[in-house]
Amino acid sequence: MEAGRATAPRNRLAVAGARSTTEAMLRNQPRGDVIRNAVFAGLLLLAVAIALAGLLALVIQAFAKGSSALSLNLITNPPSTAFPEKAGYRPAIIGSLQLIAGVMLFVVPVGIGAALYLEEYADSSRWWNRLIEVNIQNLAAVPSIIYGILGLAFIVRGPLDLGFILAAGSLTLALLVLPMVIIASREALRAVPDSIRQGSLALGATQWQTIRTQVLPASIPGIATGVILAVSRALGETAPLLLVGATVFVTFDPTPFGTDGYSAMPVQIFNYALRPQEEFQALAAAGILVMLVVLLAMNSFAIWLRNRYEQRW
Amino acid sequence: MVVVLKEQTPKISVRPEFQQAAAPQIKEKVFELNGIEVLYGGVSAVKDISMEIGHKEVTALIGPSGCGKSTLLRCLNRMNDLIPTAEVQGELLYHGEDLYGPNVDPVQVRKLIGMVFQKPNPFPKSIYDNVAFGPRVLGRKDGLDETVEKALRGAALWDEVKDRLKDNAFGLSGGQQQRLCIARCIAVEPDVILMDEPCSALDPISTGKIEDLMIELKEQYSIVIVTHNMQQAARVSDRTAFLMVELDAEEHNRWGRLVEYDATEKVFTNPSDKRTEDYVSGKVG
């Protein structure tokens, strides 16, 4: 190209060509892509809708059936077969509260202890530590009825031989949710960066001082969240309790070591729901509402706790 | 150890090109390394390190990435013990005592030999509690307020934080956080402070403050600093050790080797090894 003038038309041609190429690139995507995008988004939305519909149906159905039975009697009165209009959940509520208190007493020290060992002390390059880890993951997936059988064989009878008492039920539920607590606590411990541990150790703190004063305080919100979620799971469990002696019909307030029997909310709901009379059906539905409210409150508290106190690094 | 450098006759030479210059005369030595080798899972990270580190001096470790500067630094207060696969061989004397001897407790070692890390790592607590943490875990609870003030003054941070000692340390700027970490370290009154690239995450002004601080601190403490920044080594240190990566014949394994160790001025103006000259003049990096 010697002279600019001579090459001008050719330049113009090149500019036009480049422009049209750019235009083509910016134009709408092919029709097939648009449809595929829309279909996929629709399917995902459908999945969310199905998940929500189940919960919504449960709440609506329970409310429609149980609203007539909603009254303070539900909480203050014991169950009764003769007077369904006066019957309530008092022994079951007290039993459930004692059960989850026992679960917490057991699960907090043991669960956190196991998590601390696995995260802070165990050398994960050793095969036995990896085996323990895998097994804890597996334990969390074992069906609850199997824990019921375990509780019956080892806690109610067998080595511990506690008999059909509330404490035995508590211990069984604690074993059931223990893996959940361990897994959640490990997550919380793992979220504490190593730089904090090293900073503490470099100041001449021992490993235990480091854990007690740095690692544990920083991970307590996460651990507490895990414990609450685990306890709310224990609160809703029915199957293992039936095996370890939660009697379905108790009219007195249970005690932890009383041998006369005890009950729990889900067990009592099950009992009412089995009866054909309309009034008992309404009572069962009202009981479901009470439990849903309690569970939602517990889970919301767990979420709030996590958002409010979680340490951001 | 007195070796006349000009003669350039290496005492030990595994390979002729790795002649290791010995340090000039050091009046009082805090560390004495004899043939230190650190292995991770059986693979060497640094080999054959022999040097003496002076008391109340700033000693800089420089060299390219992966040459084992940090590994070597972490040997000095047994932080490598925290890595299960790490192994230290050779002899490391601290004031004449074997630091890896059978009766030495690594926790006690770290009380005497503190460390400041690459990234500021304040604890998620108040400024006061950060500085008080060390004295507290060591059971020195008397006069804690004075200890904290003294440490913060020592780290040139007191004037900036004296009105907000109860605030969370995460609210400080990066440079302030790093000076807080230095304050935290000197609050336990160590003998030596190890610094692992303490300014790599900081801006030039904060870096300048920490460099000034190091020069003040060497009145009281022995300081060993790892740095990527050659100008920093030239500005703050009395002695400089230059490490380099060495490869085996098949180029499978690599490890760090001490190439030159001398007074900082000499290393930067008149290095005796060609590779040191290339590195400090920026020809290789």
Coordinates of all heavy atoms in Angstrom, one line a residue, chain B residues 5 23 33 38 66 68 71 74 86 93 118 122 125-126 133 160 172 184 187 196 209 213 217 231 242 266-267:
Chain B
L5 N 36.5 -14.2 53.8 CA 35.7 -14.4 52.7 C 36.4 -14.3 51.4 O 36.1 -14.9 50.4 CB 34.5 -13.4 52.7 CG 33.5 -13.9 53.7 CD1 32.6 -12.7 54.1 CD2 32.6 -15.0 53.0
A23 N 29.3 -17.0 57.4 CA 29.0 -15.7 57.9 C 30.3 -15.0 58.4 O 31.2 -15.7 58.9 CB 28.0 -15.8 59.0
L33 N 23.1 -23.1 63.2 CA 22.5 -24.1 62.4 C 23.7 -24.9 61.8 O 24.6 -24.3 61.2 CB 21.7 -23.6 61.3 CG 20.3 -23.0 61.6 CD1 20.4 -21.7 62.3 CD2 19.4 -22.9 60.4
V38 N 15.3 -30.0 56.2 CA 13.9 -30.1 56.5 C 13.3 -31.0 55.4 O 13.4 -30.7 54.2 CB 13.2 -28.8 56.7 CG1 11.8 -29.0 57.1 CG2 13.9 -27.9 57.6
G66 N 9.8 -20.7 46.7 CA 10.0 -22.2 46.8 C 11.4 -22.5 47.2 O 11.8 -23.7 47.1
G68 N 12.6 -22.3 50.2 CA 12.6 -22.8 51.6 C 12.9 -21.8 52.7 O 13.2 -22.2 53.8
T71 N 10.2 -22.3 55.3 CA 10.4 -23.5 56.0 C 11.6 -23.4 57.0 O 11.4 -23.9 58.1 CB 10.8 -24.6 54.9 OG1 9.7 -24.7 54.0 CG2 11.1 -25.9 55.5
R74 N 10.5 -21.5 60.0 CA 9.6 -22.2 60.9 C 10.3 -23.3 61.7 O 9.7 -23.8 62.7 CB 8.4 -22.8 60.1 CG 7.4 -21.8 59.8 CD 6.5 -22.2 58.6 NE 5.5 -21.2 58.5 CZ 4.3 -21.2 59.0 NH1 3.9 -22.3 59.7 NH2 3.4 -20.2 58.8
A86 N 6.4 -33.4 58.6 CA 7.6 -32.6 58.6 C 8.7 -33.3 59.5 O 8.4 -33.8 60.5 CB 7.4 -31.2 59.0
L93 N 21.2 -25.1 67.3 CA 21.5 -24.7 68.7 C 20.9 -23.3 68.9 O 21.0 -22.4 68.1 CB 23.0 -24.7 68.9 CG 23.7 -26.0 68.7 CD1 25.2 -25.8 69.0 CD2 23.2 -27.1 69.7
Q118 N 2.7 -14.0 57.7 CA 2.6 -13.2 56.4 C 1.3 -12.4 56.4 O 1.4 -11.2 56.0 CB 2.6 -14.3 55.3 CG 2.7 -13.7 53.9 CD 3.0 -14.8 52.9 OE1 3.2 -16.0 53.3 NE2 3.0 -14.5 51.7
P122 N -5.0 -11.3 63.5 CA -5.5 -11.0 64.8 C -6.6 -12.0 65.2 O -7.3 -12.6 64.4 CB -6.1 -9.6 64.6 CG -6.4 -9.5 63.2 CD -5.4 -10.3 62.5
K125 N -11.2 -10.9 68.7 CA -11.4 -10.4 70.0 C -11.1 -8.9 70.0 O -10.7 -8.3 69.0 CB -10.5 -11.1 71.0 CG -10.8 -12.6 71.2 CD -9.7 -13.1 72.0 CE -9.7 -14.6 72.1 NZ -10.9 -15.2 72.8
S126 N -11.2 -8.2 71.1 CA -10.9 -6.8 71.2 C -9.4 -6.6 71.1 O -8.6 -7.6 71.2 CB -11.4 -6.3 72.5 OG -10.5 -6.7 73.6
F133 N -3.7 -11.8 75.3 CA -3.9 -13.2 75.2 C -2.6 -14.0 75.7 O -2.7 -14.9 76.5 CB -4.2 -13.6 73.8 CG -4.3 -15.0 73.5 CD1 -5.5 -15.7 73.9 CD2 -3.3 -15.8 72.9 CE1 -5.6 -17.1 73.7 CE2 -3.4 -17.1 72.8 CZ -4.5 -17.8 73.2
E160 N -2.7 5.2 68.2 CA -3.8 5.0 67.3 C -4.9 4.3 67.9 O -6.1 4.4 67.4 CB -3.3 4.2 66.0 CG -2.4 5.1 65.1 CD -1.6 4.2 64.2 OE1 -2.2 3.6 63.3 OE2 -0.3 4.2 64.3
L172 N -9.4 -2.8 62.5 CA -8.2 -2.1 62.2 C -7.8 -2.3 60.8 O -8.3 -3.3 60.1 CB -7.1 -2.6 63.1 CG -7.2 -2.4 64.6 CD1 -6.1 -3.1 65.3 CD2 -7.2 -1.0 65.0
R184 N 1.3 -8.2 70.1 CA 0.8 -9.4 70.7 C 2.1 -10.3 71.0 O 2.1 -11.0 72.0 CB -0.1 -10.1 69.7 CG -0.9 -11.2 70.3 CD -1.9 -11.6 69.2 NE -1.3 -12.4 68.1 CZ -2.0 -12.8 67.1 NH1 -3.3 -12.5 66.9 NH2 -1.4 -13.5 66.1
A187 N 4.3 -8.8 73.7 CA 3.7 -8.8 75.0 C 4.1 -10.0 75.9 O 4.1 -10.0 77.1 CB 2.2 -8.8 74.9
D196 N 7.6 -13.7 59.1 CA 7.5 -14.4 57.8 C 6.8 -13.5 56.8 O 5.6 -13.4 56.8 CB 6.7 -15.7 58.0 CG 6.7 -16.6 56.8 OD1 7.3 -16.2 55.7 OD2 6.1 -17.7 56.8
K209 N 6.2 1.8 58.1 CA 6.1 1.8 59.6 C 6.6 0.6 60.2 O 7.3 0.6 61.3 CB 4.6 2.0 60.0 CG 4.1 3.4 59.7 CD 2.7 3.5 60.2 CE 2.2 4.9 59.9 NZ 0.7 5.0 60.1
L213 N 9.8 0.0 62.7 CA 9.6 -0.7 64.0 C 10.7 -1.8 64.2 O 11.2 -1.9 65.3 CB 8.2 -1.3 64.0 CG 7.7 -2.0 65.2 CD1 7.8 -1.1 66.4 CD2 6.3 -2.5 65.0
L217 N 13.0 -2.4 67.3 CA 12.9 -3.6 68.1 C 14.2 -4.3 68.2 O 14.4 -5.1 69.2 CB 11.9 -4.5 67.4 CG 10.4 -4.1 67.6 CD1 9.5 -5.1 66.8 CD2 10.0 -4.1 69.0
Q231 N 14.7 -4.8 48.5 CA 15.0 -3.5 49.1 C 14.7 -3.5 50.6 O 15.4 -2.9 51.3 CB 14.1 -2.5 48.4 CG 14.5 -2.1 47.0 CD 14.2 -3.2 46.0 OE1 13.2 -3.9 46.1 NE2 15.1 -3.4 45.0
F242 N 21.1 -15.5 51.4 CA 20.5 -15.7 50.1 C 20.3 -17.2 49.9 O 21.3 -18.0 49.9 CB 21.3 -15.0 49.0 CG 20.8 -15.4 47.6 CD1 19.5 -15.1 47.3 CD2 21.6 -16.0 46.7 CE1 19.0 -15.4 46.0 CE2 21.2 -16.3 45.4 CZ 19.9 -16.0 45.1
K266 N 27.5 -6.1 52.1 CA 28.3 -6.8 51.2 C 27.5 -7.6 50.2 O 27.8 -7.6 49.0 CB 29.2 -7.7 52.0 CG 30.1 -8.6 51.2 CD 31.4 -8.9 51.8 CE 32.4 -9.5 50.8 NZ 31.8 -10.5 49.9
V267 N 26.4 -8.3 50.7 CA 25.6 -9.1 49.8 C 25.0 -8.2 48.7 O 24.9 -8.6 47.6 CB 24.4 -9.7 50.6 CG1 23.4 -10.4 49.7 CG2 25.0 -10.8 51.6

